[in-house]
Amino acid sequence: QVQLVESGGGLVQAGGSLRLSCAASGGTFRVYAMGWFRQAPGKEREFVAAISTGGAIIYYSDSVKGRFTISRDNAKNTVYLQMNSLKPEDAAVYYCAARPASYSRSSSDYAYWGRGAQVTVSS
């Protein structure tokens, strides 16, 4: 069973950047596809980005495409989310998630979740 811990959240001005990290432990990281999701107050959790086990396949939501970059370092058991050109509507709690084998855009497909990292974007 894998445990996930996010870090790197914080407060940033609109147009700024943040990099989130998600460190995994307790499992064989390279066999898990990883995803990032976010949830703003009063809204449902939404897909942000996903990456396959080896990093060759990546998918983004339309709302972040071109601004966010997901990557992973299997040697460090870590997945990253580089967020550039942040907008107030990007403010949310960001969660990383893991699932064995292929990646997915559906939160219900992910078995393991971190506790989340708060991202606040001021206008």
Side-chain angles (χ1 to χ4, degrees), residues 12-18 67 83-88 90 121-123:
V12 64
Q13 288 188 330
S17 299
L18 281 175
R67 299 187 297 122
M83 305 184 292
N84 298 330
S85 302
L86 282 160
K87 306 175 181 180
D90 293 318
V121 184
S122 63
S123 57

Side-chain angles (χ1 to χ4, degrees), residues 4 8 15 19 37 39 46 49 52 54 58 61 74 76 97 99 102 106 111 113 122:
L4 305 172
R19 188 176 82 154
F37 294 79
Q39 188 167 18
E46 66 171 345
S52 61
I58 289 173
S61 68
N74 285 348
K76 295 182 177 180
R99 71 184 301 265
S102 62
S106 174
W113 292 83
S122 63

Side-chain angles (χ1 to χ4, degrees), residues 42-107:
K43 295 187 177 181
E44 292 187 354
R45 190 169 298 188
E46 66 171 345
F47 169 78
V48 175
I51 188 167
S52 61
T53 54
I57 302 173
I58 289 173
Y59 198 88
Y60 297 101
S61 68
D62 288 343
S63 62
V64 307
K65 195 176 298 181
R67 299 187 297 122
F68 290 13
T69 303
I70 188 172
S71 62
R72 66 188 295 160
D73 186 338
N74 285 348
K76 295 182 177 180
N77 293 348
T78 302
V79 63
Y80 304 97
L81 186 68
Q82 177 67 43
M83 305 184 292
N84 298 330
S85 302
L86 282 160
K87 306 175 181 180
E89 52 264 42
D90 293 318
V93 177
Y94 283 71
Y95 299 89
C96 70
R99 71 184 301 265
S102 62
Y103 74 97
S104 170
R105 288 176 286 171
S106 174
S107 61

